Amino acid sequence: MAHETDQCLKNYKYYFKSDILANKVAFISGGGSGICFRITEIYMRHGCDTVIASRNFNRVKEAAERLEKATGRRCLPVRMDVRKPQEIQDAVDQALSHYNRIDILINGAAGNFLCPASRLSYNAFRTVIEIDTLGTFNLSKAVYEKYFSKHGGNIINISATLHYNGDVLQVHVGAAKAAIDAMTKHLAREWGRDGVRVNCIAPGPIADTEGMRRLGGDKEELARHVKEDIPLGRMGSRIDIGDSAVYLGSEVSSYITGTVLIVDGGTCMVSRRNIFEAERMMRKLASKL
Ligand code: NAP
Ligand code: COA
C-alpha cells in the first residue's frame, strides 16, 4: 500500500516546456517513493520514459502503474538492491533491453535514521554508507560501463546538507552524503570527455517525505525549525526538487557539471540543532521505543 503522499499530482504548473525531456529515458533509484517518486512523475510529465528501481518490487510496480496512468508515459519497475552489483547489472540490462537507451541516471536510493554516534552499531554505520555511497557508485559505474561511456549521459546524485555543519545524530548519513558530493566532482572530471555530466541536488527539509518523518522531530520541533531556521520560511516541496531535477537533467544546464545544487530555502546558512536539543529529542525518541 503506497503512502498517501506517493500519489500523483492533481495539478502541476509547468515552468519548462512540457516536451523538454521528450524521447529521453531516465533510470531512477528509489523512484517508487518520496522525493524520487515526484521527480519521476515530473520527468514523465515532460515527455520522459522512466525506470524506477528499489528493493521492494511491489512498491515500484504499483508506483509505475500510478505514474503511467497519470502521465501517459512509460515506466518500467525493476527490483534491485543498490548494495548488490549483480542485481544492478541485471537491472541496467533490463532497462536497456526495454528502452535501448538511458539518458539520465538519478541516484536517489538512501537510508537514514536519527542516532547518536556512540549508540550506532558498526553495522548501522556501514549499512548507510553501503546504501548511499557505495550504492551511488555501484549504479553509476554500471550505467557508465554499459551505456554512458559510448553514448554520453547525465547523472544526478541526491545528497543532503546535513554534513555542511556537522548536524548531530547524523554522522552516518553526513559521512555518506559528503562522499557523494565528492564523487560528483571526481566523476564529472573523469567522465566529462565522454559527454557525461555529473551533478548533485542537495535537498533541505522536504515536506511529506519519509526523510522528514524520520528526522524532522515532532510537530512542535518542526514548527520551530520552519519558523527559526528556514530563511524562506517554508519547508521545501517534492515539486521543488522535481523541477530542479528537470533543470539539471535537460539541455538548459548543458554547460554545468560537477556542481551541488542546494535546494533548501537557505536553511544550511543558519545553524542547526545543537547538542542540547538533540539530547532532548533523543529522550523523547527513547520514551516512545
Ligand atoms: P524515501 O521515500 O524513503 O526514499 C528512499 C528510497 O530508497 C525508497 O524508495 C527505498 O525503496 C529506496 N532504497 C532504500 N534502500 C535501498 C537499497 N538498498 N537499494 C535500492 N533502493 C533502496 O525517502 P525520501 O525522504 O524521499 O528521500 C529520497 C532522497 O532524498 C534520499 O537520497 C534522501 O537522503 C534525500 N534527502 C531527503 C530529504 C528529506 O527532507 N526527505 C532531505 C535531504 C536529502 P525500497 O524500500 O523499496 O528499497
Ligand atoms: N537506530 C539505530 N540503529 C539502527 C536503526 C535506528 N533507527 N535502524 C536500523 N539500525 C541498525 C540495525 O540495528 C542494524 O545494525 P545491527 O546489525 O548492528 O543491529 C543496521 O542498522 C542495519 O539494519 P537493517 O534493518 O538490517 O538494515 P536494512 O538494510 O534492512 O535497512 C535501513 C536499512 C536501516 C537504512 C532502513 O531504515 C531502510 O531500509 N531505510 C530506507 C528508507 C529511508 O531510510 N528513508 C529515508 C531516506 S532520508
Side-chain angles (χ1 to χ4, degrees), residues 210-258:
E210 185 59 26
M212 279 314 286
R213 280 188 282 281
R214 289 173 180 233
L215 315 180
D218 57 23
K219 265 192 182 165
E220 206 181 285
E221 164 95 14
L222 203 55
R224 187 209 58 74
H225 177 50
V226 173
K227 193 165 161 227
E228 294 174 16
D229 298 342
I230 306 182
L232 287 185
R234 68 167 176 90
M235 302 266 291
S237 73
R238 293 180 299 153
I239 299 174
D240 290 323
I241 306 300
D243 286 340
S244 301
V246 173
Y247 171 67
L248 286 178
S250 66
E251 302 311 309
V252 186
S253 61
S254 63
Y255 200 51
I256 296 180
T257 196

Side-chain angles (χ1 to χ4, degrees), residues 93-128:
D93 285 343
Q94 221 180 307
L96 287 171
S97 67
H98 194 79
Y99 290 123
N100 281 318
R101 61 188 297 147
I102 298 173
D103 300 279
I104 303 162
L105 165 63
I106 298 188
N107 284 302
N112 198 5
F113 45 81
L114 289 173
C115 190
S118 63
R119 280 217 237 145
L120 267 178
S121 71
Y122 295 114
N123 190 40
F125 189 91
R126 180 172 48 237
T127 298
V128 171

